[in-house]
Coordinates of all heavy atoms in Angstrom, one line a residue:
M299 N -32.1 -54.1 -19.8 CA -33.2 -54.1 -20.7 C -34.5 -54.1 -19.9 O -34.7 -54.8 -19.0 CB -33.1 -55.4 -21.6 CG -34.2 -55.5 -22.6 SD -34.2 -57.0 -23.6 CE -32.6 -57.0 -24.4
T300 N -35.4 -53.2 -20.4 CA -36.7 -53.1 -19.7 C -37.6 -54.3 -20.1 O -37.3 -55.0 -21.1 CB -37.5 -51.8 -20.2 OG1 -37.8 -52.0 -21.6 CG2 -36.7 -50.6 -19.9
A301 N -38.6 -54.5 -19.4 CA -39.5 -55.7 -19.7 C -40.1 -55.5 -21.0 O -40.3 -56.5 -21.8 CB -40.6 -55.8 -18.6
R302 N -40.5 -54.3 -21.4 CA -41.1 -54.0 -22.7 C -40.1 -54.3 -23.8 O -40.5 -54.9 -24.8 CB -41.7 -52.6 -22.8 CG -42.2 -52.3 -24.1 CD -43.4 -51.4 -24.1 NE -43.9 -51.0 -25.4 CZ -44.7 -51.7 -26.1 NH1 -45.2 -52.9 -25.7 NH2 -45.1 -51.3 -27.3
A303 N -38.9 -53.8 -23.6 CA -37.9 -54.0 -24.7 C -37.6 -55.5 -24.8 O -37.5 -56.0 -26.0 CB -36.6 -53.3 -24.3
G304 N -37.6 -56.3 -23.7 CA -37.4 -57.7 -23.8 C -38.6 -58.4 -24.5 O -38.4 -59.3 -25.3
W305 N -39.8 -57.9 -24.2 CA -41.0 -58.5 -24.9 C -40.9 -58.2 -26.4 O -41.2 -59.1 -27.2 CB -42.3 -57.9 -24.3 CG -43.5 -58.3 -25.0 CD1 -44.1 -59.5 -24.7 CD2 -44.2 -57.7 -26.0 NE1 -45.2 -59.6 -25.6 CE2 -45.3 -58.5 -26.3 CE3 -44.1 -56.4 -26.6 CZ2 -46.3 -58.1 -27.3 CZ3 -45.0 -56.1 -27.6 CH2 -46.1 -56.9 -27.9
L306 N -40.6 -57.0 -26.8 CA -40.5 -56.6 -28.2 C -39.4 -57.4 -28.9 O -39.6 -57.9 -30.0 CB -40.2 -55.1 -28.4 CG -41.3 -54.2 -28.1 CD1 -40.9 -52.7 -28.1 CD2 -42.4 -54.4 -29.1
L307 N -38.3 -57.7 -28.2 CA -37.2 -58.5 -28.8 C -37.7 -59.9 -29.0 O -37.5 -60.5 -30.1 CB -36.0 -58.5 -27.9 CG -34.8 -59.2 -28.4 CD1 -34.3 -58.6 -29.7 CD2 -33.7 -59.2 -27.4
G308 N -38.5 -60.4 -28.0 CA -39.0 -61.8 -28.2 C -40.0 -61.9 -29.4 O -39.9 -62.8 -30.1
V309 N -40.8 -60.8 -29.5 CA -41.7 -60.8 -30.7 C -41.0 -60.8 -32.0 O -41.3 -61.6 -32.9 CB -42.7 -59.6 -30.6 CG1 -43.5 -59.4 -31.9 CG2 -43.6 -59.8 -29.4
A310 N -39.9 -60.0 -32.1 CA -39.1 -59.9 -33.3 C -38.4 -61.2 -33.6 O -38.4 -61.7 -34.7 CB -38.1 -58.8 -33.2
V311 N -37.9 -61.9 -32.6 CA -37.2 -63.2 -32.8 C -38.2 -64.2 -33.2 O -38.0 -65.0 -34.2 CB -36.5 -63.6 -31.5 CG1 -36.0 -65.1 -31.6 CG2 -35.3 -62.7 -31.2
D312 N -39.4 -64.2 -32.6 CA -40.5 -65.2 -33.1 C -40.8 -65.0 -34.5 O -41.0 -65.9 -35.3 CB -41.7 -65.0 -32.2 CG -41.6 -65.5 -30.8 OD1 -40.6 -66.2 -30.5 OD2 -42.4 -65.3 -30.0
A313 N -41.0 -63.7 -34.9 CA -41.3 -63.4 -36.3 C -40.2 -63.9 -37.3 O -40.5 -64.5 -38.3 CB -41.6 -61.9 -36.5
L314 N -38.9 -63.6 -36.9 CA -37.8 -64.1 -37.7 C -37.8 -65.6 -37.8 O -37.5 -66.1 -38.9 CB -36.5 -63.5 -37.2 CG -36.2 -62.0 -37.5 CD1 -35.0 -61.6 -36.7 CD2 -36.1 -61.8 -39.0
T315 N -38.0 -66.2 -36.7 CA -38.0 -67.7 -36.7 C -39.1 -68.3 -37.6 O -38.8 -69.2 -38.4 CB -38.1 -68.2 -35.3 OG1 -37.1 -67.7 -34.5 CG2 -38.1 -69.8 -35.2
A316 N -40.3 -67.7 -37.5 CA -41.4 -68.2 -38.3 C -41.1 -67.9 -39.8 O -41.5 -68.7 -40.6 CB -42.7 -67.5 -37.8
R317 N -40.5 -66.7 -40.1 CA -40.2 -66.4 -41.5 C -39.2 -67.4 -42.0 O -39.3 -67.8 -43.2 CB -39.7 -65.0 -41.6 CG -39.4 -64.5 -43.0 CD -40.6 -64.4 -43.7 NE -40.5 -64.8 -45.1 CZ -41.4 -64.4 -46.1 NH1 -42.4 -63.7 -45.8 NH2 -41.2 -64.8 -47.3
E318 N -38.2 -67.7 -41.2 CA -37.2 -68.7 -41.7 C -37.8 -70.1 -41.9 O -37.5 -70.7 -42.9 CB -36.1 -68.8 -40.6 CG -34.9 -69.6 -41.1 CD -33.7 -69.6 -40.1 OE1 -33.9 -69.1 -39.0 OE2 -32.7 -70.2 -40.4
R319 N -38.7 -70.5 -41.1 CA -39.4 -71.8 -41.3 C -40.2 -71.7 -42.6 O -40.2 -72.7 -43.3 CB -40.3 -72.1 -40.1 CG -39.5 -72.5 -38.9 CD -40.4 -73.0 -37.8 NE -39.6 -73.3 -36.6 CZ -39.9 -73.1 -35.4 NH1 -41.0 -72.5 -35.1 NH2 -39.1 -73.5 -34.4
L320 N -40.9 -70.6 -42.8 CA -41.7 -70.5 -44.0 C -40.8 -70.5 -45.3 O -41.0 -71.2 -46.2 CB -42.6 -69.2 -44.0 CG -43.3 -68.9 -45.3 CD1 -44.3 -70.1 -45.7 CD2 -44.1 -67.6 -45.1
D321 N -39.7 -69.7 -45.2 CA -38.8 -69.7 -46.3 C -38.2 -71.1 -46.6 O -38.1 -71.5 -47.8 CB -37.7 -68.7 -46.1 CG -38.2 -67.2 -46.2 OD1 -39.3 -67.0 -46.7 OD2 -37.4 -66.3 -45.7
N322 N -37.8 -71.8 -45.6 CA -37.2 -73.1 -45.8 C -38.2 -74.1 -46.4 O -37.9 -74.9 -47.2 CB -36.7 -73.7 -44.4 CG -35.4 -73.0 -44.0 OD1 -34.7 -72.4 -44.9 ND2 -35.1 -73.0 -42.7
A323 N -39.5 -74.0 -45.9 CA -40.5 -74.8 -46.5 C -40.7 -74.5 -47.9 O -40.9 -75.4 -48.8 CB -41.8 -74.7 -45.7
I324 N -40.7 -73.2 -48.3 CA -40.9 -72.9 -49.7 C -39.7 -73.4 -50.5 O -39.8 -73.9 -51.6 CB -41.1 -71.3 -49.8 CG1 -42.4 -71.0 -49.3 CG2 -41.0 -70.9 -51.3 CD1 -42.7 -69.5 -49.1
I325 N -38.5 -73.2 -50.0 CA -37.3 -73.7 -50.7 C -37.4 -75.2 -50.9 O -37.1 -75.7 -52.0 CB -36.0 -73.4 -49.9 CG1 -35.7 -71.9 -50.0 CG2 -34.8 -74.2 -50.4 CD1 -34.7 -71.4 -49.0
D326 N -37.9 -76.0 -49.9 CA -38.0 -77.4 -50.1 C -39.0 -77.7 -51.2 O -38.8 -78.6 -52.0 CB -38.5 -78.1 -48.8 CG -37.5 -78.1 -47.7 OD1 -36.3 -77.9 -48.1 OD2 -37.8 -78.4 -46.6
L327 N -40.1 -76.9 -51.3 CA -41.1 -77.1 -52.3 C -40.6 -76.8 -53.7 O -40.8 -77.6 -54.6 CB -42.3 -76.1 -52.0 CG -43.6 -76.4 -52.6 CD1 -44.2 -77.8 -52.2 CD2 -44.6 -75.3 -52.2
V328 N -39.8 -75.7 -53.8 CA -39.2 -75.3 -55.1 C -38.3 -76.4 -55.6 O -38.2 -76.7 -56.7 CB -38.6 -73.9 -55.0 CG1 -37.8 -73.6 -56.2 CG2 -39.7 -72.9 -54.7
E329 N -37.5 -77.0 -54.6 CA -36.6 -78.0 -55.0 C -37.3 -79.3 -55.6 O -36.7 -80.0 -56.3 CB -35.7 -78.4 -53.8 CG -34.7 -77.4 -53.5 CD -33.8 -77.7 -52.3 OE1 -34.1 -78.7 -51.6 OE2 -32.8 -76.9 -52.1
L330 N -38.6 -79.4 -55.2 CA -39.4 -80.5 -55.8 C -40.1 -80.0 -57.1 O -40.9 -80.8 -57.7 CB -40.5 -80.9 -54.8 CG -40.0 -81.6 -53.5 CD1 -41.1 -81.8 -52.5 CD2 -39.3 -82.9 -53.9
G331 N -39.8 -78.8 -57.5 CA -40.4 -78.3 -58.8 C -41.8 -77.7 -58.6 O -42.5 -77.6 -59.6
Q332 N -42.1 -77.4 -57.4 CA -43.5 -76.8 -57.1 C -43.3 -75.4 -56.5 O -42.3 -75.0 -56.0 CB -44.2 -77.7 -56.1 CG -44.4 -79.1 -56.6 CD -45.1 -80.0 -55.5 OE1 -45.9 -79.5 -54.7 NE2 -44.7 -81.2 -55.5
F333 N -44.4 -74.7 -56.6 CA -44.4 -73.3 -56.0 C -45.7 -73.1 -55.2 O -46.8 -73.7 -55.6 CB -44.4 -72.2 -57.1 CG -43.1 -72.2 -57.8 CD1 -42.9 -73.0 -59.0 CD2 -42.0 -71.5 -57.4 CE1 -41.7 -73.0 -59.6 CE2 -40.8 -71.5 -58.1 CZ -40.7 -72.3 -59.2
P334 N -45.7 -72.3 -54.1 CA -47.0 -72.0 -53.5 C -47.9 -71.3 -54.5 O -47.3 -70.5 -55.3 CB -46.6 -71.1 -52.3 CG -45.2 -71.3 -52.1 CD -44.6 -71.7 -53.4
P335 N -49.2 -71.5 -54.5 CA -50.0 -70.8 -55.5 C -49.8 -69.3 -55.5 O -49.9 -68.7 -56.6 CB -51.4 -71.2 -55.0 CG -51.3 -72.5 -54.3 CD -49.9 -72.4 -53.7
C336 N -49.6 -68.7 -54.4 CA -49.4 -67.2 -54.4 C -48.2 -66.7 -55.1 O -48.0 -65.5 -55.4 CB -49.5 -66.7 -53.0 SG -48.1 -67.2 -51.9
H337 N -47.2 -67.6 -55.3 CA -46.0 -67.2 -56.0 C -46.2 -67.2 -57.6 O -45.4 -66.7 -58.3 CB -44.9 -68.2 -55.7 CG -44.3 -67.9 -54.3 ND1 -43.0 -68.0 -54.0 CD2 -45.0 -67.6 -53.2 CE1 -42.8 -67.7 -52.7 NE2 -44.0 -67.4 -52.2
T338 N -47.3 -67.9 -58.0 CA -47.5 -67.9 -59.5 C -48.5 -66.8 -59.9 O -48.5 -66.3 -61.0 CB -48.1 -69.2 -59.9 OG1 -49.2 -69.5 -59.2 CG2 -47.0 -70.3 -59.7
E339 N -49.4 -66.3 -59.0 CA -50.3 -65.2 -59.3 C -50.4 -64.3 -58.1 O -51.5 -64.2 -57.5 CB -51.7 -65.8 -59.5 CG -52.0 -66.6 -60.8 CD -53.4 -67.0 -60.8 OE1 -54.3 -66.2 -60.9 OE2 -53.6 -68.2 -60.7
P340 N -49.4 -63.6 -57.7 CA -49.4 -62.9 -56.5 C -50.4 -61.7 -56.4 O -50.9 -61.4 -55.3 CB -48.0 -62.3 -56.4 CG -47.4 -62.4 -57.7 CD -48.1 -63.6 -58.4
D341 N -50.8 -61.2 -57.5 CA -51.8 -60.0 -57.5 C -53.1 -60.5 -56.9 O -53.8 -59.7 -56.3 CB -52.0 -59.5 -58.9 CG -50.7 -58.7 -59.4 OD1 -49.8 -58.5 -58.6 OD2 -50.7 -58.4 -60.6
A342 N -53.5 -61.7 -57.2 CA -54.8 -62.2 -56.7 C -54.8 -62.2 -55.2 O -55.9 -62.0 -54.6 CB -55.0 -63.6 -57.2
W343 N -53.7 -62.3 -54.5 CA -53.7 -62.4 -53.0 C -53.8 -61.0 -52.4 O -54.0 -60.8 -51.2 CB -52.4 -63.0 -52.5 CG -52.6 -64.5 -52.4 CD1 -52.6 -65.2 -51.2 CD2 -52.7 -65.5 -53.4 NE1 -52.8 -66.6 -51.5 CE2 -52.9 -66.7 -52.8 CE3 -52.8 -65.4 -54.8 CZ2 -53.1 -67.9 -53.6 CZ3 -53.0 -66.6 -55.6 CH2 -53.1 -67.8 -54.9
F344 N -53.8 -59.9 -53.2 CA -53.9 -58.6 -52.7 C -54.9 -57.8 -53.6 O -54.9 -56.6 -53.6 CB -52.5 -57.8 -52.8 CG -51.5 -58.5 -51.9 CD1 -50.6 -59.4 -52.4 CD2 -51.4 -58.1 -50.6 CE1 -49.7 -60.0 -51.6 CE2 -50.5 -58.7 -49.7 CZ -49.6 -59.7 -50.2
S345 N -55.9 -58.5 -54.1 CA -56.9 -57.9 -55.0 C -57.9 -57.2 -54.2 O -58.2 -57.4 -53.0 CB -57.6 -59.0 -55.8 OG -58.6 -58.5 -56.5
D346 N -58.6 -56.2 -54.8 CA -59.7 -55.5 -54.2 C -61.0 -56.2 -54.5 O -62.1 -55.9 -54.0 CB -59.8 -54.1 -54.7 CG -58.7 -53.2 -54.2 OD1 -58.2 -53.5 -53.1 OD2 -58.3 -52.3 -55.0
S347 N -61.0 -57.2 -55.4 CA -62.2 -57.9 -55.8 C -62.5 -59.1 -54.9 O -61.7 -60.0 -54.7 CB -62.0 -58.4 -57.3 OG -62.9 -59.5 -57.5
P348 N -63.7 -59.1 -54.3 CA -64.0 -60.2 -53.4 C -64.0 -61.5 -54.1 O -63.6 -62.5 -53.5 CB -65.5 -59.8 -52.9 CG -65.6 -58.3 -53.1 CD -64.7 -58.0 -54.3
T349 N -64.4 -61.5 -55.4 CA -64.4 -62.8 -56.1 C -63.0 -63.3 -56.3 O -62.7 -64.5 -56.1 CB -65.0 -62.6 -57.5 OG1 -66.3 -62.0 -57.3 CG2 -65.1 -63.9 -58.3
V350 N -62.0 -62.4 -56.6 CA -60.6 -62.8 -56.8 C -60.1 -63.3 -55.4 O -59.3 -64.3 -55.3 CB -59.8 -61.7 -57.4 CG1 -58.3 -62.1 -57.5 CG2 -60.3 -61.4 -58.8
I351 N -60.4 -62.6 -54.4 CA -59.9 -62.9 -53.1 C -60.4 -64.3 -52.7 O -59.7 -65.1 -52.1 CB -60.4 -61.9 -52.0 CG1 -59.6 -60.6 -52.2 CG2 -60.2 -62.4 -50.6 CD1 -58.1 -60.7 -51.9
E352 N -61.7 -64.6 -53.0 CA -62.2 -66.0 -52.7 C -61.4 -67.0 -53.5 O -61.2 -68.1 -52.9 CB -63.7 -66.0 -53.1 CG -64.6 -65.4 -52.0 CD -64.4 -65.9 -50.6 OE1 -64.3 -67.2 -50.5 OE2 -64.2 -65.1 -49.7
T353 N -61.0 -66.7 -54.7 CA -60.2 -67.7 -55.4 C -58.8 -67.9 -54.7 O -58.4 -69.0 -54.6 CB -59.9 -67.1 -56.9 OG1 -61.2 -66.8 -57.5 CG2 -59.1 -68.1 -57.7
A354 N -58.2 -66.8 -54.2 CA -57.0 -67.0 -53.5 C -57.1 -67.8 -52.2 O -56.3 -68.6 -51.9 CB -56.4 -65.6 -53.2
V355 N -58.2 -67.5 -51.5 CA -58.5 -68.2 -50.3 C -58.6 -69.7 -50.5 O -58.1 -70.5 -49.8 CB -59.8 -67.7 -49.6 CG1 -60.3 -68.6 -48.5 CG2 -59.6 -66.3 -49.0
A356 N -59.3 -70.1 -51.6 CA -59.5 -71.5 -52.0 C -58.1 -72.1 -52.4 O -57.8 -73.2 -52.0 CB -60.5 -71.6 -53.1
A357 N -57.3 -71.3 -53.1 CA -56.0 -71.8 -53.6 C -55.1 -72.1 -52.4 O -54.3 -73.1 -52.4 CB -55.4 -70.9 -54.6
C358 N -55.2 -71.3 -51.4 CA -54.3 -71.5 -50.2 C -54.6 -72.8 -49.6 O -53.7 -73.5 -49.0 CB -54.6 -70.4 -49.2 SG -53.8 -68.8 -49.5
L359 N -55.8 -73.3 -49.6 CA -56.2 -74.6 -49.0 C -55.4 -75.7 -49.6 O -55.3 -76.8 -49.0 CB -57.7 -74.8 -49.0 CG -58.5 -73.8 -48.2 CD1 -60.0 -74.1 -48.4 CD2 -58.2 -74.0 -46.7
R360 N -54.9 -75.6 -50.8 CA -54.2 -76.6 -51.5 C -52.7 -76.4 -51.3 O -51.9 -77.2 -51.9 CB -54.5 -76.7 -53.0 CG -56.0 -77.0 -53.3 CD -56.2 -77.2 -54.8 NE -55.7 -76.1 -55.6 CZ -56.4 -75.0 -55.9 NH1 -57.6 -74.9 -55.5 NH2 -55.8 -74.1 -56.7
C361 N -52.3 -75.4 -50.6 CA -50.8 -75.1 -50.5 C -50.1 -75.9 -49.5 O -50.6 -76.0 -48.3 CB -50.7 -73.6 -50.1 SG -49.0 -73.1 -50.0
P362 N -49.0 -76.6 -49.9 CA -48.3 -77.5 -48.9 C -47.6 -76.7 -47.8 O -47.2 -77.4 -46.8 CB -47.2 -78.1 -49.8 CG -47.7 -77.8 -51.2 CD -48.5 -76.6 -51.2
V363 N -47.5 -75.4 -47.8 CA -46.8 -74.7 -46.7 C -47.8 -73.8 -45.9 O -47.4 -72.9 -45.3 CB -45.6 -73.9 -47.2 CG1 -44.6 -74.8 -47.9 CG2 -46.1 -72.7 -48.2
I364 N -49.1 -74.2 -46.0 CA -50.1 -73.4 -45.3 C -49.8 -73.2 -43.8 O -50.1 -72.2 -43.2 CB -51.5 -73.9 -45.6 CG1 -52.6 -72.9 -45.1 CG2 -51.7 -75.3 -45.1 CD1 -54.0 -73.2 -45.6
H365 N -49.4 -74.3 -43.2 CA -49.2 -74.2 -41.7 C -48.0 -73.3 -41.4 O -48.2 -72.4 -40.4 CB -48.9 -75.6 -41.1 CG -50.1 -76.5 -41.3 ND1 -51.3 -76.3 -40.7 CD2 -50.2 -77.6 -42.1 CE1 -52.1 -77.3 -41.1 NE2 -51.5 -78.1 -41.9
Q366 N -46.9 -73.3 -42.1 CA -45.8 -72.4 -41.9 C -46.2 -71.0 -42.2 O -45.8 -70.0 -41.6 CB -44.6 -72.8 -42.7 CG -44.0 -74.2 -42.3 CD -44.6 -75.3 -43.1 OE1 -45.8 -75.3 -43.7 NE2 -43.9 -76.4 -43.2
C367 N -47.1 -70.8 -43.2 CA -47.5 -69.5 -43.7 C -48.4 -68.9 -42.6 O -48.2 -67.7 -42.2 CB -48.3 -69.7 -45.0 SG -49.0 -68.1 -45.6
R368 N -49.3 -69.7 -42.0 CA -50.1 -69.1 -40.9 C -49.3 -68.8 -39.7 O -49.6 -67.7 -39.0 CB -51.3 -70.0 -40.6 CG -52.3 -69.4 -39.7 CD -53.6 -70.0 -39.8 NE -53.7 -71.4 -39.5 CZ -53.8 -71.9 -38.3 NH1 -53.9 -71.1 -37.3 NH2 -53.8 -73.2 -38.1
A369 N -48.4 -69.6 -39.4 CA -47.5 -69.4 -38.2 C -46.8 -68.0 -38.4 O -46.7 -67.2 -37.5 CB -46.5 -70.5 -38.0
Y370 N -46.3 -67.8 -39.6 CA -45.6 -66.6 -39.9 C -46.5 -65.4 -39.8 O -46.2 -64.3 -39.2 CB -44.9 -66.6 -41.2 CG -44.3 -65.3 -41.6 CD1 -43.3 -64.7 -40.8 CD2 -44.8 -64.5 -42.7 CE1 -42.8 -63.4 -41.1 CE2 -44.3 -63.3 -43.0 CZ -43.3 -62.7 -42.2 OH -42.9 -61.5 -42.5
A371 N -47.7 -65.5 -40.4 CA -48.7 -64.4 -40.4 C -49.1 -64.0 -39.0 O -49.2 -62.9 -38.7 CB -49.9 -64.8 -41.3
L372 N -49.2 -65.0 -38.2 CA -49.5 -64.7 -36.8 C -48.4 -64.1 -36.0 O -48.6 -63.2 -35.2 CB -50.0 -66.0 -36.0 CG -51.3 -66.6 -36.4 CD1 -51.5 -68.0 -35.9 CD2 -52.4 -65.7 -35.9
A373 N -47.2 -64.5 -36.4 CA -46.0 -64.0 -35.6 C -45.6 -62.6 -36.1 O -44.9 -61.9 -35.4 CB -44.8 -65.0 -35.8
D374 N -46.0 -62.2 -37.3 CA -45.6 -60.9 -37.9 C -46.9 -60.2 -38.4 O -47.1 -60.1 -39.6 CB -44.6 -61.1 -39.0 CG -44.0 -59.8 -39.4 OD1 -44.5 -58.7 -38.9 OD2 -43.0 -59.8 -40.1
P375 N -47.8 -59.8 -37.5 CA -49.1 -59.2 -38.0 C -48.9 -58.0 -38.8 O -49.8 -57.6 -39.6 CB -49.8 -59.0 -36.7 CG -48.9 -59.1 -35.6 CD -47.7 -59.9 -36.1
R376 N -47.8 -57.2 -38.6 CA -47.6 -56.0 -39.4 C -47.5 -56.3 -40.9 O -48.1 -55.7 -41.7 CB -46.4 -55.2 -38.9 CG -46.7 -54.4 -37.7 CD -45.6 -53.5 -37.4 NE -45.8 -52.8 -36.1 CZ -45.1 -51.8 -35.7 NH1 -44.0 -51.5 -36.4 NH2 -45.4 -51.2 -34.6
T377 N -46.6 -57.3 -41.1 CA -46.4 -57.7 -42.5 C -47.6 -58.3 -43.2 O -47.9 -58.1 -44.3 CB -45.2 -58.7 -42.6 OG1 -44.0 -58.0 -42.1 CG2 -44.9 -59.1 -44.0
S378 N -48.3 -59.1 -42.4 CA -49.4 -59.9 -42.9 C -50.8 -59.1 -42.8 O -51.8 -59.7 -42.9 CB -49.5 -61.2 -42.2 OG -49.7 -61.0 -40.9
R379 N -50.7 -57.8 -42.5 CA -51.9 -57.0 -42.3 C -52.8 -57.0 -43.6 O -54.0 -57.0 -43.5 CB -51.6 -55.6 -41.9 CG -52.7 -54.8 -41.5 CD -52.3 -53.4 -41.1 NE -51.2 -53.4 -40.2 CZ -50.4 -52.3 -40.0 NH1 -50.6 -51.2 -40.6 NH2 -49.4 -52.4 -39.1
Y380 N -52.1 -57.0 -44.7 CA -52.9 -56.9 -46.0 C -52.7 -58.2 -46.8 O -51.7 -58.8 -46.7 CB -52.3 -55.7 -46.8 CG -52.4 -54.4 -46.1 CD1 -51.3 -53.8 -45.5 CD2 -53.7 -53.8 -45.8 CE1 -51.4 -52.6 -44.8 CE2 -53.8 -52.7 -45.1 CZ -52.6 -52.1 -44.6 OH -52.7 -50.9 -43.9
G381 N -53.7 -58.5 -47.5 CA -53.7 -59.7 -48.4 C -54.1 -61.0 -47.7 O -54.5 -61.0 -46.5
V382 N -54.2 -62.0 -48.5 CA -54.6 -63.3 -48.1 C -53.3 -64.1 -47.6 O -52.3 -64.1 -48.3 CB -55.3 -64.1 -49.2 CG1 -55.6 -65.5 -48.7 CG2 -56.5 -63.4 -49.7
W383 N -53.4 -64.6 -46.4 CA -52.3 -65.4 -45.8 C -53.0 -66.7 -45.3 O -53.9 -66.6 -44.4 CB -51.6 -64.7 -44.7 CG -50.8 -63.5 -45.1 CD1 -51.3 -62.2 -45.5 CD2 -49.4 -63.4 -45.3 NE1 -50.3 -61.4 -45.9 CE2 -49.1 -62.1 -45.8 CE3 -48.4 -64.3 -45.1 CZ2 -47.8 -61.7 -46.0 CZ3 -47.1 -63.9 -45.4 CH2 -46.8 -62.6 -45.8
A384 N -52.5 -67.8 -45.7 CA -52.9 -69.1 -45.2 C -54.5 -69.2 -45.2 O -55.1 -69.6 -44.3 CB -52.4 -69.3 -43.8
S385 N -55.0 -68.8 -46.3 CA -56.4 -68.9 -46.6 C -57.3 -68.0 -45.7 O -58.5 -68.3 -45.6 CB -56.9 -70.4 -46.4 OG -58.1 -70.6 -47.0
T386 N -56.7 -67.0 -45.2 CA -57.5 -66.0 -44.4 C -57.2 -64.6 -44.9 O -56.1 -64.2 -44.8 CB -57.2 -66.1 -42.9 OG1 -55.8 -66.1 -42.7 CG2 -57.8 -67.4 -42.3
P387 N -58.2 -63.9 -45.3 CA -58.0 -62.6 -45.8 C -58.1 -61.5 -44.7 O -57.7 -60.4 -44.9 CB -59.2 -62.3 -46.8 CG -60.3 -63.2 -46.3 CD -59.6 -64.4 -45.6
D388 N -58.4 -61.9 -43.5 CA -58.6 -61.0 -42.4 C -57.7 -61.4 -41.2 O -57.9 -62.6 -40.7 CB -60.1 -61.0 -42.0 CG -60.4 -59.9 -40.9 OD1 -59.5 -59.6 -40.2 OD2 -61.5 -59.5 -40.9
P389 N -56.8 -60.6 -40.7 CA -56.0 -61.0 -39.6 C -56.8 -61.4 -38.4 O -56.3 -62.3 -37.6 CB -55.2 -59.7 -39.3 CG -55.2 -58.9 -40.6 CD -56.5 -59.3 -41.2
R390 N -58.0 -60.9 -38.2 CA -58.8 -61.3 -37.0 C -59.2 -62.8 -37.1 O -59.3 -63.5 -36.1 CB -60.0 -60.4 -36.9 CG -59.7 -59.0 -36.6 CD -60.9 -58.1 -36.7 NE -61.3 -58.0 -38.1 CZ -62.2 -57.2 -38.6 NH1 -62.9 -56.4 -37.8 NH2 -62.5 -57.2 -39.8
Q391 N -59.4 -63.3 -38.4 CA -59.7 -64.7 -38.5 C -58.5 -65.6 -38.1 O -58.7 -66.6 -37.4 CB -60.0 -65.0 -40.0 CG -61.2 -64.4 -40.5 CD -61.4 -64.6 -42.0 OE1 -60.4 -64.5 -42.7 NE2 -62.6 -64.9 -42.4
R392 N -57.3 -65.1 -38.4 CA -56.1 -65.9 -37.9 C -56.0 -65.9 -36.4 O -55.6 -66.9 -35.8 CB -54.8 -65.3 -38.6 CG -54.7 -65.5 -40.0 CD -53.4 -65.1 -40.6 NE -53.3 -63.7 -40.8 CZ -53.7 -63.0 -41.9 NH1 -54.2 -63.6 -42.9 NH2 -53.5 -61.7 -41.9
D393 N -56.3 -64.8 -35.8 CA -56.2 -64.7 -34.3 C -57.2 -65.7 -33.7 O -56.9 -66.4 -32.8 CB -56.5 -63.3 -33.8 CG -55.4 -62.4 -34.1 OD1 -54.2 -62.8 -34.3 OD2 -55.6 -61.1 -34.1
V394 N -58.5 -65.7 -34.3 CA -59.5 -66.6 -33.8 C -59.0 -68.1 -33.9 O -59.2 -68.9 -33.0 CB -60.8 -66.4 -34.5 CG1 -61.8 -67.4 -34.1 CG2 -61.4 -65.0 -34.1
L395 N -58.5 -68.4 -35.1 CA -58.0 -69.8 -35.3 C -56.9 -70.1 -34.4 O -56.9 -71.3 -33.8 CB -57.5 -69.9 -36.8 CG -58.6 -70.1 -37.8 CD1 -57.9 -70.0 -39.2 CD2 -59.3 -71.4 -37.7
A396 N -56.0 -69.2 -34.1 CA -54.9 -69.5 -33.2 C -55.4 -69.7 -31.8 O -54.9 -70.7 -31.1 CB -53.9 -68.4 -33.2
R397 N -56.4 -68.9 -31.4 CA -56.9 -69.1 -30.0 C -57.6 -70.4 -29.9 O -57.5 -71.2 -28.9 CB -57.8 -68.0 -29.6 CG -57.1 -66.7 -29.2 CD -58.0 -65.8 -28.4 NE -59.0 -65.2 -29.3 CZ -58.9 -64.1 -30.0 NH1 -57.8 -63.4 -30.0 NH2 -59.9 -63.7 -30.7
Y398 N -58.4 -70.8 -30.9 CA -59.1 -72.0 -30.9 C -58.1 -73.2 -30.9 O -58.3 -74.1 -30.1 CB -60.0 -72.1 -32.2 CG -60.7 -73.4 -32.4 CD1 -61.8 -73.7 -31.6 CD2 -60.2 -74.4 -33.2 CE1 -62.5 -74.9 -31.8 CE2 -60.8 -75.6 -33.3 CZ -62.0 -75.9 -32.6 OH -62.6 -77.1 -32.7
E399 N -57.1 -73.2 -31.7 CA -56.1 -74.2 -31.7 C -55.4 -74.4 -30.4 O -55.1 -75.5 -29.9 CB -55.1 -74.0 -32.8 CG -55.7 -74.4 -34.2 CD -54.6 -74.3 -35.3 OE1 -53.5 -73.9 -35.0 OE2 -55.0 -74.6 -36.4
S400 N -55.1 -73.2 -29.7 CA -54.3 -73.3 -28.5 C -55.2 -73.9 -27.4 O -54.7 -74.6 -26.5 CB -53.8 -72.0 -28.0 OG -54.8 -71.1 -27.7
R401 N -56.5 -73.7 -27.5 CA -57.4 -74.3 -26.5 C -57.6 -75.8 -26.7 O -57.8 -76.6 -25.8 CB -58.8 -73.6 -26.6 CG -58.9 -72.4 -25.7 CD -60.3 -72.0 -25.6 NE -60.3 -70.5 -25.8 CZ -61.2 -69.9 -26.5 NH1 -62.2 -70.5 -27.0 NH2 -61.1 -68.6 -26.7
S402 N -57.6 -76.2 -28.0 CA -57.7 -77.6 -28.3 C -56.5 -78.4 -28.1 O -56.5 -79.7 -28.1 CB -58.2 -77.9 -29.7 OG -58.6 -76.8 -30.4
A403 N -55.3 -77.8 -28.0 CA -54.0 -78.5 -27.9 C -53.8 -79.1 -26.5 O -54.4 -78.7 -25.5 CB -52.9 -77.6 -28.2
Ligands
SF4_139 S1 -50.9 -70.6 -47.8 FE1 -49.4 -68.9 -47.7 S2 -47.7 -69.5 -49.0 FE2 -49.5 -70.8 -49.5 S3 -50.5 -69.9 -51.2 FE3 -51.5 -69.2 -49.3 S4 -50.5 -67.2 -48.9 FE4 -49.2 -68.3 -50.3

């Protein structure tokens, strides 16, 4: 296996692991009778309207799985390229937050 193939495999495994953690967190939430806000009004998370997007961004801040959601969005940037993920409508914002957090850890 080439170094690049190994790196790509590692990226894919990280994305799958992050997705599994997010799915498990959502399952735990559903078992408590709750849903992430984006599961009740999904269109708002992919709206073209800045006002609607701001509503989705604010709703994410109350989401119990926001940390798992952001970890997944960072691990799988292709899937999370569009829409609001973890209260950030722009993937570049997630990158900045991740770099900031890694420096403060
Ligand atoms: S944090 Fe993620 S899972 Fe929660 S509402 Fe926002 S986009 Fe949905």
